Amino acid sequence: MKDRISRIVSVLLTVLCLCSFPLPVSAAGGRPVYAGDVENGTYEIEAETLNSSMFRIVGCTLTVTDEAMTAHVTLSGKGFGKLYAGRGADAVESEVSLFGEDEEGRHTFDIPVSALDTPVPVAGWSIKREKWYDYDVIFHADSLPDGAVAKSGNGWILPCAAACVGVAVIACFAAAGIRRKKKSGGEDK
């Protein structure tokens, strides 16, 4: 019975350790990537609006400086005159970004980005309808160039997982030794 329990504990320990291995920073599942994970600099990055085709981003430049990220987005047209980082119902005029224009006359805005690979709420002020519309924008970390993601913030996980695997292997060998000893009547072979 003790042998069976020690094998079960060893298997569970091994599974637990393997599950704690770090994922790549911009894994397909998309865990959030924060400013501290990205090297300072300016990068062309892909961004998309998740819940509307009216607020369409056609260009985006991400600037990372001193633990903060700002995205300079270019919209497909000229329909939005203001942008608020949050929901329109919460818009505070002093925190509203007014549009700029690119060389083609399309409206541009700066958006503070709390994390990549996670939806960022923004509200756009429709010039024509004179009201706020809420959107969710996602900035894709996997579109950053190689080497831009500097640190994952989880460097302690790999050594810890290796130690767990080591303990599980030792436990397996110990359980096997106990079993051999019992079968042989207490004599070592």
Side-chain angles (χ1 to χ4, degrees):
M1 185 66 176
K2 286 182 184 179
D3 189 37
R4 183 174 284 181
I5 289 173
S6 67
R7 274 190 271 156
I8 291 171
V9 168
S10 296
V11 168
L12 289 175
L13 243 173
T14 302
V15 169
L16 174 68
C17 290
L18 292 175
C19 290
S20 70
F21 276 94
L23 293 174
V25 170
S26 58
R31 75 168 183 79
V33 176
Y34 300 97
D37 299 327
V38 182
E39 290 288 338
N40 285 352
T42 301
Y43 309 97
E44 294 296 317
I45 189 170
E46 292 178 20
E48 68 178 306
T49 306
L50 299 177
N51 51 354
S52 175
S53 61
M54 298 304 293
F55 190 86
R56 191 164 59 92
I57 297 172
V58 295
C60 181
T61 304
L62 181 72
T63 301
V64 182
T65 57
D66 300 326
E67 304 291 322
M69 294 186 287
T70 302
H72 182 75
V73 298
T74 302
L75 302 181
S76 61
K78 305 176 187 183
F80 294 96
K82 303 181 214 177
L83 184 123
Y84 178 73
R87 297 294 176 212
D90 301 326
V92 176
E93 202 61 37
S94 64
E95 297 174 12
V96 168
S97 172
L98 299 176
F99 74 90
E101 287 186 356
D102 70 359
E103 57 280 347
E104 297 175 29
R106 297 177 297 196
H107 288 187
T108 63
F109 295 95
D110 290 331
I111 300 173
V113 179
S114 55
L116 307 177
D117 289 344
T118 190
V120 175
V122 297
W125 176 260
S126 169
I127 295 171
K128 185 176 183 178
R129 304 215 192 263
E130 296 186 352
K131 69 180 210 175
W132 290 104
Y133 288 92
D134 293 330
Y135 303 103
D136 290 305
V137 177
I138 192 161
F139 301 92
H140 297 286
D142 61 359
S143 66
L144 287 168
D146 289 340
V149 178
K151 336 172 217 53
S152 65
N154 56 6
W156 60 271
I157 293 177
L158 188 58
C160 185
C164 288
V165 170
V167 168
V169 168
I170 291 169
C172 286
F173 280 116
I178 291 170
R179 186 174 65 228
R180 269 187 264 141
K181 200 171 193 177
K182 282 184 178 180
K183 283 184 179 180
S184 66
E187 297 176 21
D188 286 334
K189 289 190 174 186

